[in-house]
């Protein structure tokens, strides 16, 4: 069953590395407002339209999100949502129809805005090679050195 999904927000909070940047384990970061993929994914897909062929699939860490449909329609296209327990936590893989893909760090929805901005900025720096775990620890290390 395909479900029509629409977002209540107009803009996704996404920050990407420059195109053709091939370093690191992520291509940028996404800071969703909730753990509801049905609400969050349409704006994410819309924000990636200039960088990726039309989205065909989104792979996510199953335990990190609320229950989501297996397929949905957005912008006149069907998109498959694949949740796996082995998918790296705090990441999503967005796969286009041309099999191009982006790996995004998922900044947890409840993250303080200053911390989220720092993580997103670091994840989207062209030469950043940090792992998702290292990027998510940025706010903790910054607080530790400030004390």
């Amino acid at each position: 069953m395909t479900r029509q999904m629409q977002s209540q927000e107009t803009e996704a909070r996404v920050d990407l590395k420059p195109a053709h940047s091939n370093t690191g384990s992520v291509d940028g970061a996404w800071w969703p407002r909730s753990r509801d993929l049905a609400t969050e994914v349409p704006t994410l897909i819309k924000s990636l339209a200039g960088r990726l062929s039309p989205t065909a699939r989104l792979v996510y860490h199953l335990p990190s999100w609320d229950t989501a449909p297996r397929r949905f329609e957005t912008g006149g296209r069907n998109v498959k949502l694949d949740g796996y327990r082995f998918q790296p936590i705090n990441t999503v893989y967005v796969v286009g129809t041309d099999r191009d893909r982006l790996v995004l760090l998922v900044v947890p929805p409840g993250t303080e805005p200053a911390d989220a901005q720092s993580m997103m900025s670091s994840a989207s720096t062209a030469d950043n090679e940090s792992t998702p775990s290292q990027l998510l620890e940025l706010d903790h290390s910054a607080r530790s050195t400030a004390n």
Side-chain angles (χ1 to χ4, degrees):
M1 177 177 179
T2 302
R3 186 170 138 187
Q4 180 84 16
M5 293 188 353
Q6 303 208 353
S7 174
Q8 296 175 355
E9 296 292 334
T10 58
E11 305 248 343
R13 299 181 291 191
V14 176
D15 204 353
L16 299 174
K17 287 182 178 177
H20 310 297
S21 177
N22 296 325
T23 60
S25 58
V26 296
D27 300 302
W30 174 41
W31 184 26
R33 290 172 174 80
S34 73
R35 294 206 178 274
D36 181 0
L37 282 174
T39 299
E40 301 294 336
V41 169
T43 56
L44 172 64
I45 289 172
K46 185 177 178 182
S47 72
L48 299 176
R51 182 70 175 269
L52 194 65
S53 62
T55 302
R57 182 177 180 212
L58 185 129
V59 181
Y60 64 97
H61 182 249
L62 188 62
S64 297
W65 296 91
D66 295 344
T67 302
R70 301 266 306 142
R71 293 184 182 276
F72 70 95
E73 183 182 316
T74 186
R77 297 197 53 82
N78 284 318
V79 177
K80 184 176 181 183
L81 292 178
D82 285 327
Y84 297 100
R85 294 188 186 288
F86 62 81
Q87 168 72 18
I89 193 167
N90 294 104
T91 62
V92 292
Y93 286 59
V94 186
V95 183
T97 55
D98 291 341
R99 297 187 187 213
D100 48 343
R101 72 177 171 115
L102 293 172
V103 179
L104 301 177
L105 169 74
V106 177
V107 177
T111 304
E112 290 294 323
D115 294 336
Q117 290 300 325
S118 175
M119 290 179 232
M120 292 179 71
S121 178
S122 294
S124 63
T125 301
D127 61 350
N128 185 289
E129 295 185 4
S130 301
T131 65
S133 295
Q134 290 168 329
L135 290 163
L136 291 171
E137 290 174 0
L138 288 174
D139 67 319
H140 298 297
S141 60
R143 284 188 207 138
S144 299
T145 57
N147 291 332

